[in-house]
Amino acid sequence: RMSRDIRERAGLDVKVSILEKDLNFSTARIHELESRLEEETQKRRPLEEEIAELKCALDKVHSSLSHIRLKAKREVYGS
């Protein structure tokens, strides 16, 4: 019985060792991916800000064109 307990204990120790290695590898991979994600987020931020500025400018142009169109209709139709 003691021999069997020792074998079981050794088997558990091997399993624990394998799981710890897998955990360490997975943790390192997660950190690597998080770092890469942060880098990509930093690259996107200026582009997202530029897109927001361009949308705002486009909205202003659209608003101005609508105003000009209404003014021109009033002048043409005398309303």
Side-chain angles (χ1 to χ4, degrees):
R1 176 177 177 184
M2 190 171 173
S3 176
R4 186 177 45 147
D5 288 346
I6 292 171
R7 280 194 308 262
E8 287 176 3
R9 172 71 183 187
L12 287 175
D13 286 345
V14 169
K15 287 179 183 178
V16 167
S17 177
I18 291 169
L19 290 173
E20 285 175 341
K21 287 179 184 178
D22 287 347
L23 178 62
N24 290 337
F25 175 77
S26 296
T27 301
R29 181 70 175 144
I30 287 170
H31 289 302
E32 176 190 345
L33 292 174
E34 286 174 341
S35 176
R36 288 173 57 189
L37 180 61
E38 181 60 31
E39 288 174 13
E40 292 303 316
T41 300
Q42 293 297 329
K43 289 178 187 176
R44 280 184 51 183
R45 191 166 287 130
L47 294 175
E48 289 172 345
E49 291 171 359
E50 185 176 354
I51 288 170
E53 290 172 8
L54 290 172
K55 283 182 179 179
C56 182
L58 186 59
D59 287 343
K60 287 179 183 179
V61 169
H62 184 272
S63 177
S64 294
L65 288 175
S66 295
H67 180 71
I68 291 169
R69 187 180 305 123
L70 287 174
K71 186 176 178 183
K73 283 183 180 179
R74 286 187 195 123
E75 289 178 5
V76 169
Y77 298 113
S79 299

